[in-house]
Amino acid sequence: MFTRVERNSALPAGGNVLHFEGSPVPFQPGDSVAAALLAAGASPFRESPVDDSLRAPYCMMGVCFECLVEIDGRQNQQSCLTTARPGMIVKRQHGARTLG
Ligand code: FES
């Protein structure tokens, strides 16, 4: 559904890989987590706590909160505002964040 704009969009060799739901996702330096996941075709990102509907990034600028994921064990992280780093563990968020 989404592709990179650059003509030569080959990903650099090396360690620029995060993990989403256990699968490796390569990214380019400077990518947000959301951009990396969308470019890899990973969607949805979460389930609504209201009706379990599937959600994915919409605004890509920190306004809509549709891109919430769990990153390295921390829930409710806005993936569009989080810069991808090698080795990140990213998971879908199911429903509302748990407290405690
Ligand atoms: S995509 Fe809208 S806040 Fe992240």
Side-chain angles (χ1 to χ4, degrees):
M1 181 171 177
F2 292 92
T3 59
R4 293 185 181 277
V5 174
E6 302 91 9
R7 277 195 165 195
N8 184 5
S9 62
L11 292 166
N16 288 336
V17 174
L18 58 80
H19 299 274
F20 180 65
E21 295 292 324
S23 297
V25 174
F27 61 89
Q28 293 180 346
D31 277 357
S32 67
V33 172
L37 295 179
L38 289 172
S43 185
F45 282 34
R46 69 181 184 98
E47 297 167 354
S48 167
V50 175
D51 62 1
D52 294 333
S53 61
L54 303 177
R55 316 303 293 177
Y58 182 70
C59 72
M60 296 296 281
M61 60 181 190
V63 176
C64 73
F65 287 78
E66 296 291 3
C67 64
L68 296 178
V69 292
E70 178 182 314
I71 298 175
D72 293 335
R74 297 182 61 205
Q75 296 177 326
N76 272 13
Q77 301 300 301
Q78 286 178 279
S79 59
C80 70
L81 298 181
T82 305
T83 303
R85 296 185 315 274
M88 280 180 150
I89 305 296
V90 182
K91 296 179 181 175
R92 285 193 177 97
Q93 184 157 312
H94 302 281
R97 161 183 182 233
T98 56
L99 297 176

